[in-house]
Amino acid sequence: MPERKRLDLRPDCSRCFGLCCVAPPFAASEDFAIDKEAGEACPHLRHDFRCDIHAALRERGFPGCAVYDCFGAGQQVAQVTFGGTDWRQAPDTAPQMFDSFMIMRQLHELLWYLAEALELEQAAPLRGELSSALADIERLTYYDADALGKVNVAGHRRRVSALLLAAGDLVRAAGRITRVGGEA
């Protein structure tokens, strides 16, 4: 399995299929100008999986889209889990692809927080446990769609949350945040 680089946890919309514009539901609010059901494409999603109003999301009533971060889950699902076949080319895969995205997004968020905690000098006493948790979750991100659908995300979130709370306690006890290699 390739070692994960930080850039892998950043969205690369050019390698995704607009999954964040389809998979999650939106409720009309200050963050989203419309109601949208899970699995329903946003009306602003173009055929090339780009957004018609991306340059004016806030002005058009979609600030939630402007700040949304999939942590790279979109390209992982699109390119790894589904091997580059998009839901429009293979509509029968759409429900499973959207479900996979919702799971992968949560796993990638956990990876982001674990990677951040591993950079804190004060968390050094937990480095082994943090690294182990990161490796365990990273392994899950390479599952096929069927196996991914069976992942107990809540269980993994509980384990990671306990580690992150412990890391936070160590940082607070030290009185300041120091990153590996220097000041933050």
Side-chain angles (χ1 to χ4, degrees), residues 4 8 17 31 43 56 73-74 76 93 106 112 114-115 117 119 147 167 177:
R4 181 169 299 283
D8 290 343
F17 305 132
D31 290 328
Q76 183 74 11
T93 66
Q106 293 178 73
W112 178 268
L114 287 165
E119 290 185 15
I177 296 175

Side-chain angles (χ1 to χ4, degrees), residues 71-87:
F71 298 98
Q75 68 256 23
Q76 183 74 11
V77 169
Q79 302 304 320
V80 177
T81 311
F82 285 86
T85 301
D86 73 63
W87 54 272

Side-chain angles (χ1 to χ4, degrees), residues 26-110:
F26 301 163
S29 64
E30 288 188 25
D31 290 328
F32 301 103
I34 60 171
D35 287 324
K36 185 192 85 57
E37 297 294 323
E40 173 188 331
C42 174
H44 300 292
L45 183 64
R46 298 186 324 210
H47 187 69
D48 67 355
F49 302 112
R50 299 294 178 257
C51 177
D52 267 343
I53 63 168
H54 190 266
L57 286 170
R58 292 179 192 281
E59 296 83 10
R60 297 284 299 270
F62 291 87
C65 295
V67 299
Y68 183 81
D69 192 338
C70 77
F71 298 98
Q75 68 256 23
Q76 183 74 11
V77 169
Q79 302 304 320
V80 177
T81 311
F82 285 86
T85 301
D86 73 63
W87 54 272
R88 286 185 174 147
Q89 293 172 336
D92 55 312
T93 66
Q96 191 174 38
M97 186 177 290
F98 303 153
D99 290 345
S100 295
F101 172 75
M102 299 303 288
I103 294 165
M104 189 71 72
R105 198 260 175 217
Q106 293 178 73
L107 295 175
H108 273 226
E109 180 180 22
L110 293 175

